Amino acid sequence: IIPDTAFYFRDEGKLAEHCVQIDTEKYNVGLTIVDHAFKYIVNPKVRTEKIEKYKEAIIETIKYLINNQNAYIHIFPQVISANSHMGHSDVRISLEIEEIFKNLNLGSRVTYHYNDFNPMQLKKMYSNMDLFIGTRLHSVIFALSMNVPSINISYHGTKSQGILKAIKGFEENVIFIDDICASSLISKVSSLYEKRIELKKSLAYENTILKKRLQDAMASIVSSI
């Protein structure tokens, strides 16, 4: 009925301050990764194959971004609790991906910014990204709300499709985690890169509409009390 309220979070001054250094002269791509266990799949062999295919898609896309777009990759933590839903934490897999690129002598290109950041700090950091690829839906919402063109790797039903469908130009920027492969993710990243300037301008306009809808909805609720 209305957009996710995370679109409306505003910069609350000191709450948004952080110590992460990001060189905005470089081409920066943000990333959130979920340690998704595909627990709803009964067959353990198929489950393992899905996990490895998801990881491979992330790894190969990072390689593509570095080799073809001279990108610097910033992995951000969205959920760091080991007791999160279905045991999904971002920490272990994020460290694993970072280590893979350290072993490839690309440690200067792939950085995991581990810390217990608040939403305002995350939004502030995401605003310094040129593109964003998020498995965590709210990381994508934060990035989009800061006018950063984004892709969502969806693993939680249809909420992702509904939210991105409501933003002009982003209807196709959702990939189901069950269907993901390196080529499909790279294809969407490539398309996003080519259209990034026009999409950034479009987001600035779309966000004003989203925030107005939220304001109207909240005003309606308050007036009915």
Side-chain angles (χ1 to χ4, degrees), residues 57-176:
I58 296 293
I59 292 165
E60 293 304 315
T61 300
I62 291 174
K63 289 178 181 177
Y64 170 84
L65 285 162
I66 293 171
N67 295 329
N68 294 75
Q69 298 178 5
N70 195 29
Y72 287 77
I73 313 301
H74 302 268
I75 305 174
F76 295 102
Q78 189 84 10
V79 175
I80 62 175
S81 170
N83 297 318
S84 59
H85 177 60
M86 295 181 75
H88 300 156
S89 168
D90 302 348
V91 178
R92 188 193 66 81
I93 190 169
S94 297
L95 288 170
E96 180 184 342
I97 298 297
E98 182 187 47
E99 189 63 25
I100 286 169
F101 285 91
K102 282 182 180 177
N103 293 334
L104 292 172
N105 294 319
L106 291 169
S108 64
R109 290 301 192 107
V110 181
T111 305
Y112 176 40
H113 300 291
Y114 174 75
N115 208 330
D116 187 6
F117 297 112
N118 69 48
M120 302 303 171
Q121 290 172 316
L122 290 172
K123 284 192 72 168
K124 187 75 170 178
M125 289 185 285
Y126 295 173
S127 72
N128 291 319
M129 299 296 108
D130 295 284
L131 293 183
F132 201 93
I133 305 165
T135 310
R136 291 288 180 192
L137 175 57
H138 279 90
S139 71
V140 171
I141 292 173
F142 286 177
L144 288 170
S145 72
M146 301 306 286
N147 303 328
V148 178
S150 306
I151 295 168
N152 179 225
I153 300 169
S154 173
Y155 67 96
H156 39 49
T158 59
K159 186 176 181 180
S160 296
Q161 298 93 293
I163 287 176
L164 270 75
K165 188 177 180 180
I167 306 173
K168 187 177 179 181
F170 288 86
E171 302 89 341
E172 304 299 321
N173 285 359
V174 178
I175 297 181
F176 292 107

Side-chain angles (χ1 to χ4, degrees), residues 50 53-54 57-58 153 175-182 184-185:
K50 290 282 189 182
K53 202 166 187 180
Y54 169 58
I58 296 293
I153 300 169
I175 297 181
F176 292 107
I177 199 166
D178 284 287
D179 303 327
I180 198 169
C181 65
S184 64
L185 184 55

